[in-house]
PDB file of all heavy atoms in Angstrom:
ATOM      1  N   THR A 189      48.150  94.673  78.525  1.00 66.00           N
ATOM      2  CA  THR A 189      48.240  94.924  79.934  1.00 66.00           C
ATOM      3  C   THR A 189      47.923  96.403  80.377  1.00 66.00           C
ATOM      4  O   THR A 189      47.542  96.702  81.519  1.00 66.00           O
ATOM      5  CB  THR A 189      49.635  94.613  80.359  1.00 66.00           C
ATOM      6  OG1 THR A 189      50.566  94.980  79.306  1.00 66.00           O
ATOM      7  CG2 THR A 189      49.734  93.143  80.523  1.00 66.00           C
ATOM      8  N   GLY A 190      48.220  97.270  79.508  1.00 68.00           N
ATOM      9  CA  GLY A 190      48.137  98.784  79.821  1.00 68.00           C
ATOM     10  C   GLY A 190      46.692  99.223  79.972  1.00 68.00           C
ATOM     11  O   GLY A 190      46.499 100.054  80.918  1.00 68.00           O
ATOM     12  N   SER A 191      45.731  98.677  79.417  1.00 72.00           N
ATOM     13  CA  SER A 191      44.424  99.244  79.385  1.00 72.00           C
ATOM     14  C   SER A 191      43.527  98.404  80.288  1.00 72.00           C
ATOM     15  O   SER A 191      42.293  98.664  80.421  1.00 72.00           O
ATOM     16  CB  SER A 191      43.863  99.114  77.944  1.00 72.00           C
ATOM     17  OG  SER A 191      43.843  97.841  77.534  1.00 72.00           O
ATOM     18  N   ILE A 192      43.915  97.430  81.077  1.00 77.00           N
ATOM     19  CA  ILE A 192      42.991  96.583  81.785  1.00 77.00           C
ATOM     20  C   ILE A 192      43.473  96.236  83.181  1.00 77.00           C
ATOM     21  O   ILE A 192      44.787  96.048  83.379  1.00 77.00           O
ATOM     22  CB  ILE A 192      42.765  95.249  81.000  1.00 77.00           C
ATOM     23  CG1 ILE A 192      41.371  94.602  81.507  1.00 77.00           C
ATOM     24  CG2 ILE A 192      43.850  94.321  80.997  1.00 77.00           C
ATOM     25  CD1 ILE A 192      40.892  93.604  80.427  1.00 77.00           C
ATOM     26  N   GLY A 193      42.559  96.146  84.239  1.00 82.00           N
ATOM     27  CA  GLY A 193      43.132  95.940  85.562  1.00 82.00           C
ATOM     28  C   GLY A 193      43.084  94.467  85.974  1.00 82.00           C
ATOM     29  O   GLY A 193      42.323  93.693  85.247  1.00 82.00           O
ATOM     30  N   PRO A 194      43.435  94.198  87.025  1.00 82.00           N
ATOM     31  CA  PRO A 194      43.436  92.686  87.582  1.00 82.00           C
ATOM     32  C   PRO A 194      41.988  92.217  87.830  1.00 82.00           C
ATOM     33  O   PRO A 194      41.694  91.009  87.445  1.00 82.00           O
ATOM     34  CB  PRO A 194      44.095  92.703  88.957  1.00 82.00           C
ATOM     35  CG  PRO A 194      44.785  94.050  89.094  1.00 82.00           C
ATOM     36  CD  PRO A 194      44.174  95.042  88.084  1.00 82.00           C
ATOM     37  N   GLN A 195      41.081  93.161  88.121  1.00 87.00           N
ATOM     38  CA  GLN A 195      39.674  92.694  88.319  1.00 87.00           C
ATOM     39  C   GLN A 195      38.988  92.264  86.943  1.00 87.00           C
ATOM     40  O   GLN A 195      38.358  91.232  86.870  1.00 87.00           O
ATOM     41  CB  GLN A 195      38.889  93.703  89.054  1.00 87.00           C
ATOM     42  CG  GLN A 195      39.084  93.734  90.444  1.00 87.00           C
ATOM     43  CD  GLN A 195      38.398  94.818  91.149  1.00 87.00           C
ATOM     44  OE1 GLN A 195      37.960  95.885  90.407  1.00 87.00           O
ATOM     45  NE2 GLN A 195      38.321  94.907  92.497  1.00 87.00           N
ATOM     46  N   ALA A 196      39.282  93.129  85.985  1.00 87.00           N
ATOM     47  CA  ALA A 196      38.880  92.804  84.771  1.00 87.00           C
ATOM     48  C   ALA A 196      39.380  91.562  84.277  1.00 87.00           C
ATOM     49  O   ALA A 196      38.727  90.660  83.522  1.00 87.00           O
ATOM     50  CB  ALA A 196      39.125  93.941  83.776  1.00 87.00           C
ATOM     51  N   ARG A 197      40.607  91.234  84.384  1.00 87.00           N
ATOM     52  CA  ARG A 197      41.358  90.031  84.015  1.00 87.00           C
ATOM     53  C   ARG A 197      40.717  88.868  84.722  1.00 87.00           C
ATOM     54  O   ARG A 197      40.553  87.607  84.066  1.00 87.00           O
ATOM     55  CB  ARG A 197      42.904  90.063  84.305  1.00 87.00           C
ATOM     56  CG  ARG A 197      43.519  90.793  83.089  1.00 87.00           C
ATOM     57  CD  ARG A 197      45.003  90.294  82.975  1.00 87.00           C
ATOM     58  NE  ARG A 197      45.755  90.719  84.078  1.00 87.00           N
ATOM     59  CZ  ARG A 197      46.440  91.943  84.157  1.00 87.00           C
ATOM     60  NH1 ARG A 197      46.243  92.661  83.173  1.00 87.00           N
ATOM     61  NH2 ARG A 197      47.151  92.370  85.279  1.00 87.00           N
ATOM     62  N   GLU A 198      40.510  88.948  85.902  1.00 90.00           N
ATOM     63  CA  GLU A 198      39.753  87.969  86.662  1.00 90.00           C
ATOM     64  C   GLU A 198      38.375  87.583  86.042  1.00 90.00           C
ATOM     65  O   GLU A 198      38.038  86.362  85.828  1.00 90.00           O
ATOM     66  CB  GLU A 198      39.417  88.385  88.231  1.00 90.00           C
ATOM     67  CG  GLU A 198      38.655  87.354  89.008  1.00 90.00           C
ATOM     68  CD  GLU A 198      39.285  86.072  89.246  1.00 90.00           C
ATOM     69  OE1 GLU A 198      40.499  85.967  89.346  1.00 90.00           O
ATOM     70  OE2 GLU A 198      38.571  85.055  89.296  1.00 90.00           O
ATOM     71  N   ALA A 199      37.680  88.598  85.659  1.00 91.00           N
ATOM     72  CA  ALA A 199      36.298  88.357  84.947  1.00 91.00           C
ATOM     73  C   ALA A 199      36.648  87.561  83.639  1.00 91.00           C
ATOM     74  O   ALA A 199      35.959  86.675  83.324  1.00 91.00           O
ATOM     75  CB  ALA A 199      35.703  89.682  84.656  1.00 91.00           C
ATOM     76  N   LEU A 200      37.674  88.039  82.881  1.00 90.00           N
ATOM     77  CA  LEU A 200      38.055  87.356  81.631  1.00 90.00           C
ATOM     78  C   LEU A 200      38.315  85.941  81.876  1.00 90.00           C
ATOM     79  O   LEU A 200      37.921  84.937  81.156  1.00 90.00           O
ATOM     80  CB  LEU A 200      39.179  88.036  81.060  1.00 90.00           C
ATOM     81  CG  LEU A 200      38.915  89.460  80.492  1.00 90.00           C
ATOM     82  CD1 LEU A 200      40.172  90.026  79.840  1.00 90.00           C
ATOM     83  CD2 LEU A 200      37.915  89.360  79.315  1.00 90.00           C
ATOM     84  N   ALA A 201      39.160  85.709  83.055  1.00 91.00           N
ATOM     85  CA  ALA A 201      39.636  84.263  83.333  1.00 91.00           C
ATOM     86  C   ALA A 201      38.390  83.523  83.662  1.00 91.00           C
ATOM     87  O   ALA A 201      38.243  82.351  83.274  1.00 91.00           O
ATOM     88  CB  ALA A 201      40.564  84.382  84.482  1.00 91.00           C
ATOM     89  N   THR A 202      37.574  84.064  84.352  1.00 93.00           N
ATOM     90  CA  THR A 202      36.240  83.268  84.687  1.00 93.00           C
ATOM     91  C   THR A 202      35.508  82.809  83.429  1.00 93.00           C
ATOM     92  O   THR A 202      35.009  81.703  83.285  1.00 93.00           O
ATOM     93  CB  THR A 202      35.310  84.083  85.617  1.00 93.00           C
ATOM     94  OG1 THR A 202      36.090  84.696  86.701  1.00 93.00           O
ATOM     95  CG2 THR A 202      34.134  83.189  86.123  1.00 93.00           C
ATOM     96  N   GLU A 203      35.378  83.857  82.500  1.00 93.00           N
ATOM     97  CA  GLU A 203      34.577  83.505  81.257  1.00 93.00           C
ATOM     98  C   GLU A 203      35.312  82.474  80.375  1.00 93.00           C
ATOM     99  O   GLU A 203      34.684  81.472  79.953  1.00 93.00           O
ATOM    100  CB  GLU A 203      34.407  84.768  80.428  1.00 93.00           C
ATOM    101  CG  GLU A 203      33.494  84.559  79.254  1.00 93.00           C
ATOM    102  CD  GLU A 203      33.156  85.673  78.435  1.00 93.00           C
ATOM    103  OE1 GLU A 203      33.462  86.838  78.862  1.00 93.00           O
ATOM    104  OE2 GLU A 203      32.559  85.575  77.358  1.00 93.00           O
TER     105      GLU A 203
END
Side-chain angles (χ1 to χ4, degrees):
Chain A
T189 42
S191 59
I192 198 162
Q195 280 175 343
R197 275 205 291 272
E198 175 61 34
L200 290 176
T202 312
E203 190 175 349

